[in-house]
Structure formats: structure tokens, C-alpha cells
Amino acid sequence: MSEFDFECFAGGLDTVGSASDGGHRLRLGSYAWIGYDGGDPVAFVGGELRRRLAGRTLMVGGNAHVPDVDGPASLGVICAVAAGRRGQGFGRRTMHAVLSVLPTMGTDAHTVECSVDINNDASLALFRSMNEFTEDATSSTGIGFRHQICSHRGDLTDLMDRCTRNTG
């Protein structure tokens, strides 16, 4: 296997400050990480850092709650591996690289979260095999996974200084 490499991009990927998911969360930033094998891009992890907003209805266990303070920041991620490179550990290696670099990036993310379609056997196997993630929620269409990270305070400017900017 060739040498594995990893690159981080921040900024210019989406509008910071815009509301996502119908206005219940505030977008703090969008990020991308690419895993390379011998210079060839083989895996991609994309993420949106967001914070649940105070005063918005939150359903917990079928009960409606309206928090009076903003929630902690979370990074929602997607992971994709090039079709011809699946099953070779590139998704796992890229996710491990993301998890290892994230606490040093200056974000205030408390968790990394993802939802996997119940029919996506490869992604389910990936997140179930990673001890860092626990199954968090299950619905008729997907299974949620969550990773608790260290609280590491910082701001978006600090994060962008630590990553390669992708301003397109």
C-alpha cells in the first residue's frame, strides 16, 4: 500500500451564520478532509459545525423541550470512499485522522455526529468498528453515531489559520 496522506480545508465551503435544518441550528462553519493514497484522493469526510439555538423546540424522547441557552457545538459528518478503493481501510484511516486533528483545530465542537442509512452496510460496518463512536439513535431509515470529543475552545479564525484554506 502506498503512503497515506491527509489534507484539511476550511472556509469558503458554505455560508457561516446561516441557519441549517429549518432554523433550529446555526451553521458555524463547513469543513472537508481528504485522504490520499500515493497522491490519489481516495476518501472524503465533509462536515458542518453547528450549534442548536436557544428558544427553539427540541424533541427528546417524544417530549418537547425549549432550551433557554444555546446548545454545544457539534460537527455533523459524511464519509465517502472512492468506489474502487472501498474495503481497504481508507474510510477508517481518514475518520481517525479527522478525529485526531479536530481537538487541535480550535473549534468548540463537543461531538462528532453522523447518520447512516440502514441499508448502507459498508458505512454501518465502518462506524460500528470504530471504538470512538457509539450508536446514538435509531430510526426506521437510519442509525445515528456519536463521538464525544474534548471541549477545546477557539474561534473560526483560529481554525482557518490551522487548516489549508480552500477559497476556490
Side-chain angles (χ1 to χ4, degrees):
M1 184 178 293
S2 301
E3 184 176 331
F4 181 76
D5 197 9
F6 174 75
E7 192 171 5
C8 173
F9 298 87
L13 300 176
D14 214 332
T15 306
V16 174
S18 63
S20 64
D21 75 1
H24 292 91
R25 294 180 191 257
L26 180 67
R27 180 178 294 112
L28 304 174
S30 297
Y31 313 97
W33 295 269
I34 301 174
Y36 296 90
D37 180 38
D40 296 328
V42 294
F44 169 84
V45 174
E48 179 180 271
L49 186 64
R50 57 191 184 240
R51 180 181 312 280
R52 183 170 293 284
L53 299 173
R56 308 291 167 79
T57 302
L58 170 66
M59 297 302 291
V60 178
N63 299 313
H65 299 276
V66 181
D68 58 357
V69 296
D70 289 346
S74 63
L75 181 72
V77 297
I78 61 166
C79 180
V81 177
R85 307 306 284 277
R86 294 180 184 149
Q88 299 175 37
F90 292 114
R92 183 175 294 102
R93 290 166 85 180
T94 304
M95 282 304 305
H96 278 295
V98 169
L99 296 180
S100 67
V101 74
L102 192 60
T104 68
M105 292 173 60
T107 72
D108 64 349
H110 290 232
T111 59
V112 176
E113 303 170 344
C114 69
S115 180
V116 178
D117 186 283
I118 59 172
N119 297 313
N120 188 337
D121 294 332
S123 290
L124 288 172
L126 167 66
F127 287 101
R128 286 179 171 154
S129 73
M130 295 183 68
N131 293 331
E132 297 89 350
F133 283 89
T134 56
E135 288 190 29
D136 183 51
T138 302
S139 72
S140 61
T141 59
I143 298 175
F145 292 89
R146 178 184 296 253
H147 167 67
Q148 188 74 33
I149 61 175
C150 299
S151 177
H152 200 282
R153 297 288 171 183
D155 63 19
L156 183 60
T157 303
D158 183 47
L159 171 65
M160 291 175 68
D161 288 343
R162 292 175 188 241
C163 285
T164 304
R165 292 182 191 216
N166 181 8
T167 57

